[in-house]
Amino acid sequence: MNKKLSLSIFEIVAYSILTLLGLWGLTYVVLGVVVEFLTFKDALYKANESLGSLGFLYQGFIIIAVVVVVSVVILLINAKSSDRDYEKAQRRAARLAKDNNVVDAEATEVK
């Protein structure tokens, strides 16, 4: 089977941006876990306190949740369009197969 992965420019850009946002959220989660188990007060603890009541950990979870929701929406939209293209190709192949009922005939020389 020769399967070709075709991504549009929109998909490539969207997945790249969402990957970067996901890494940003993951970084916040890691920083939040580090702050939770930090025994002494330093600059990271002060930065966590300056973010408000949520802190690094919960803001990271929120960012990751938003990235997941947007990714699923983009995947659903593109899956719908690719299914539509596949069904269109199947209908065309069936139409061509139906119209291609050619009777095989042998040619004989006329004397």
Side-chain angles (χ1 to χ4, degrees), residues 50-65:
S50 70
L51 289 176
S53 62
L54 290 179
F56 283 125
L57 186 64
Y58 295 113
Q59 284 188 2
F61 285 145
I62 290 170
I63 291 169
I64 290 174

Side-chain angles (χ1 to χ4, degrees), residues 29-39 45 48 54 57-58:
V29 169
V30 169
L31 288 174
V33 169
V34 167
V35 167
E36 289 293 323
F37 294 107
L38 200 62
T39 58
Y45 183 79
N48 188 40
L54 290 179
L57 186 64
Y58 295 113

Side-chain angles (χ1 to χ4, degrees), residues 21-90:
L21 287 174
L23 289 173
W24 179 39
L26 187 62
T27 304
Y28 266 27
V29 169
V30 169
L31 288 174
V33 169
V34 167
V35 167
E36 289 293 323
F37 294 107
L38 200 62
T39 58
F40 55 91
K41 309 238 186 252
D42 66 343
L44 186 60
Y45 183 79
K46 290 176 187 173
N48 188 40
E49 292 298 319
S50 70
L51 289 176
S53 62
L54 290 179
F56 283 125
L57 186 64
Y58 295 113
Q59 284 188 2
F61 285 145
I62 290 170
I63 291 169
I64 290 174
V66 168
V67 166
V68 167
V69 168
V70 173
S71 298
V72 167
V73 169
I74 290 173
L75 284 171
L76 288 175
I77 290 170
N78 291 321
K80 183 178 179 182
S81 67
S82 68
D83 284 347
R84 189 179 318 124
D85 293 342
Y86 177 74
E87 289 172 358
K88 184 177 176 182
Q90 291 295 323

